[in-house]
Amino acid sequence: MIAVLKHELRLYFHSLTAYVFGAFLLAFVGLGAMLYNIQAAVSNFEFVLSFGCLIFVVIVPILTMRVIAEERRQKTDQLLCALPITTTEVILGKYLALLLVYLIPLALISLYPLIFSQYGEVYLPTAYGSILAFFIMGAALIALGVFISSLTENQGLAAGIGIAAILLNYYSVSLSEYVSTTAFGSLAALCVLAVLLAVLVKYLTKNENLAYIGSGVLIVAMTGVYMYDSTLFEGLLPDIMAKLSLFERFYVFVNGVFDMTAVVYYLTVIAFFLFLSVQSLEKRRYN
Amino acid sequence: MGSGERQSMISVEHLTKYYGEYLAVEDLTFEIGEGHVYGFLGPNGAGKTTTMNIMTGCLSASAGSVHIDGHDIFEEAEAAKKCIGYLPEQPPLYMSETPLEYLRFVGEAKGLRGQALTEQIQAVIRQTGIEAVQGRRISALSKGYRQRVGIAQALLGNPKTIILDEPTVGLDPIQIIEIRSLIKELGRSHTVVFSSHILSEVHAICDRILII
């Protein structure tokens, strides 16, 4: 794993990727700090991070698009398969390298509240709690980006899907106001999601029975619950959309609450997408 | 196999591989002993690359087993892979790196560290004749040198078996002669399995031939 980590770091700093990622993050957070903390003279640094998290929509896919897609395009994934290291070690090595690239600009950003505290009253616990949450949320988005990169050998496509997925997550709370709140609407949408899940499972495992039987059982179970008590489904779809939002949970930290459930949620998202990335890479052996 | 009995270096038993409905390899069985250069001969599409990919752990098998120096490639993948150096048909190289950086990564991934890593890298660089280009970017190297860098990574960790998938494809005649003599030299200290669809080439290099 250490070998992969060192190798990935070398590749990021050989190319412009790490520098572009860091520059964009610093520029956007710097712009926010200028607008909020300097021009508007607001002492809350967490508002800057709340403004700055929008940049993740662009910079996370740029950072993660090549991580596995490029291995496939260059056929170097064959080397990784033939080396005496496990797929889990490969994915963890790559992911930790991405986290280190992300941590470098974040380390600079974490100096801002201290600098501002020299010139006014800054409530440091909220500022640093938000920086920690900003890091974990970014780590969750990076895990999502790694998984998307593992689905294709086309970097551009990986970046496009990544931007769409993160943008959808960013606006999921706003969009939830426009979706159906009726019980039947929620059931129909969840059935569509079950079918999409089946397609993903089939793609990752090449096991049609597991995919179709799994989603079939899920749809039958949901329909059964709906027939038993349809009120359980009322407003369920917008509720799920709001709950899945990574950004919405971050705003709780910005409001001064260190929400441990959000931390657990972010860590679960990280573990889930890294697990899927390992499965996606393993799938190549079975093709 | 009994403990007193001499183990074969590679043992492939009843290997079958399907790609969906397409049967790529059917019930293939062979054994390879220690030493020598083995030619793996067969027409295009016969399943040479698929077999090599399964032997090196890059692909799963639909049925059958592969043992490398007594280790099952599916059950004891790490131990089996330590006994193999593999050069696929397209050398798996990172174009933005220099051969030195690339070999350092592969060596570390194979568990080499510190002085042992440095010494082995220098040894394989000498053996494959890439001293002059070790500091250049791989993207700037000729196909022949890229192939040599690919062979160098296969030699790191001093594996007992080197598996080369059509290593002379796309090279010019001088490069082909150079790579052939390198493979012959490797055959003195390793078991080399070398695939080709050209009979004369296999005849020129190999001590023994497997026909698929």
Side-chain angles (χ1 to χ4, degrees):
Chain A
M1 188 177 81
I2 300 296
V4 177
L5 168 67
K6 284 163 71 177
H7 179 244
E8 286 294 310
L9 281 177
R10 193 163 52 228
L11 288 179
Y12 284 125
F13 288 99
H14 264 184
S15 68
L16 285 174
T17 315
Y19 303 104
V20 168
F21 175 84
F24 267 90
L25 187 59
L26 286 172
F28 211 68
V29 172
L31 183 70
M34 193 185 74
L35 290 174
Y36 284 87
N37 300 134
I38 297 173
Q39 283 188 351
V42 175
S43 64
N44 302 72
F45 186 70
E46 52 274 18
F47 294 166
V48 174
L49 298 176
S50 173
F51 165 81
C53 65
L54 178 63
I55 195 68
F56 279 136
V57 173
V58 178
I59 60 172
V60 166
I62 287 175
L63 181 67
T64 58
M65 64 183 183
R66 60 152 290 277
V67 66
I68 298 173
E70 183 69 357
E71 301 275 2
R72 287 201 165 150
R73 196 186 63 78
Q74 288 193 125
K75 307 284 181 204
T76 43
D77 55 339
Q78 265 190 313
L79 173 72
L80 298 177
C81 282
L83 287 173
I85 47 176
T86 63
T87 309
T88 307
E89 285 177 309
V90 171
I91 293 292
L92 284 180
K94 284 175 173 288
Y95 181 66
L96 289 178
L98 287 166
L99 285 191
L100 283 175
V101 170
Y102 172 39
L103 267 175
I104 292 168
L106 207 58
L108 289 174
I109 289 169
S110 67
L111 295 176
Y112 294 2
L114 280 180
I115 295 169
F116 291 138
S117 69
Q118 304 299 311
Y119 302 98
E121 290 249 336
V122 178
Y123 191 57
L124 293 177
T126 311
Y128 280 101
S130 299
I131 289 176
L132 183 62
F134 192 75
F135 168 66
I136 304 175
M137 180 180 66
L141 291 170
I142 288 172
L144 169 67
V146 170
F147 170 61
I148 291 170
S149 178
S150 75
L151 297 175
T152 173
E153 61 180 52
N154 185 330
Q155 286 191 44
L157 188 62
I161 297 172
I163 288 172
I166 297 175
L167 201 60
L168 193 68
N169 194 276
Y170 187 81
Y171 286 114
S172 65
V173 175
S174 310
L175 289 173
S176 70
E177 292 168 12
Y178 299 98
V179 299
S180 169
T181 55
T182 64
F184 183 74
S186 295
L187 177 69
L190 289 173
C191 287
V192 171
L193 282 177
V195 172
L196 291 177
L197 186 68
V199 172
L200 183 66
V201 169
K202 187 188 160 198
Y203 177 76
L204 289 178
T205 63
K206 291 280 167 194
N207 188 335
E208 289 185 3
N209 292 339
L210 177 71
Y212 296 141
I213 294 172
S215 86
V217 167
L218 208 59
I219 290 170
V220 169
M222 285 189 299
T223 312
V225 174
Y226 175 78
M227 306 267 272
Y228 176 71
D229 183 5
S230 63
T231 56
L232 289 172
F233 281 83
E234 279 171 14
L236 187 61
L237 182 62
D239 200 31
I240 289 175
M241 284 177 74
K243 287 255 178 352
L244 285 179
S245 171
L246 291 159
F247 293 91
E248 196 60 23
R249 289 172 187 266
F250 174 66
Y251 300 140
V252 178
F253 292 90
V254 173
N255 291 332
V257 179
F258 195 86
D259 183 6
M260 280 309 291
T261 59
V263 173
V264 172
Y265 176 65
Y266 287 141
L267 294 178
T268 310
V269 169
I270 292 169
F272 178 69
F273 282 113
L274 292 185
F275 170 76
L276 286 184
S277 305
V278 171
Q279 299 312 310
S280 179
L281 208 56
E282 275 288 318
K283 178 183 78 82
R284 211 191 116 87
R285 285 186 216 272
Y286 297 91
N287 271 349
Chain B
M1 197 172 281
S3 56
E5 210 174 321
R6 184 180 172 276
Q7 283 190 331
S8 56
M9 184 50 68
I10 299 175
S11 166
V12 173
E13 289 174 19
H14 305 293
L15 193 70
T16 300
K17 176 69 184 176
Y18 280 94
Y19 291 110
E21 300 287 308
Y22 176 71
L23 178 62
V25 178
E26 186 181 10
D27 199 26
L28 180 67
T29 299
F30 62 85
E31 286 203 357
I32 287 176
E34 280 187 52
H36 307 293
V37 179
Y38 287 79
F40 199 40
L41 189 67
N44 289 328
K48 300 186 295 295
T49 298
T50 298
T51 306
M52 287 186 153
N53 278 334
I54 295 171
M55 281 158 61
T56 52
C58 295
L59 263 184
S60 69
S62 305
S65 66
V66 175
H67 287 84
I68 310 291
D69 200 19
H71 303 288
D72 189 314
I73 191 72
F74 308 121
E75 302 294 327
E76 307 160 77
E78 204 170 319
K81 285 175 184 178
K82 280 188 175 168
C83 305
I84 306 171
Y86 180 39
L87 174 67
E89 191 173 347
Q90 183 181 327
L93 306 170
Y94 295 95
M95 294 298 164
S96 61
E97 287 185 321
T98 65
L100 206 54
E101 290 169 337
Y102 173 70
L103 293 174
R104 182 161 285 277
F105 159 60
V106 176
E108 284 179 348
K110 288 186 176 184
L112 299 169
R113 296 284 182 274
Q115 191 64 22
L117 174 65
T118 310
E119 283 172 7
Q120 274 219 23
I121 289 174
Q122 289 310 319
V124 297
I125 283 176
R126 271 196 306 277
Q127 203 171 355
T128 52
I130 54 172
E131 295 102 318
V133 298
Q134 60 179 300
R136 278 195 221 161
R137 277 198 173 203
I138 292 173
S139 59
L141 301 184
S142 68
K143 195 163 185 340
Y145 272 120
R146 287 184 193 176
Q147 206 74 331
R148 284 167 181 266
V149 175
I151 294 173
Q153 66 79 18
L155 293 173
L156 280 173
N158 204 18
K160 292 177 180 173
T161 307
I162 309 290
I163 298 178
L164 309 170
D165 190 3
E166 308 220 16
T168 56
V169 164
L171 301 182
D172 65 40
I174 295 171
Q175 289 170 334
I176 289 175
I177 292 166
E178 287 172 354
I179 294 289
R180 281 180 184 175
S181 63
L182 177 61
I183 292 168
K184 273 187 179 173
E185 193 189 313
L186 291 175
R188 292 188 202 122
S189 50
H190 301 82
T191 302
V192 179
V193 183
F194 158 80
S195 83
S196 177
H197 58 276
I198 305 165
L199 181 60
S200 60
E201 182 168 69
V202 172
H203 190 256
I205 302 175
C206 305
D207 307 316
R208 296 169 192 201
I209 298 176
L210 298 157
I211 297 174
I212 185 171

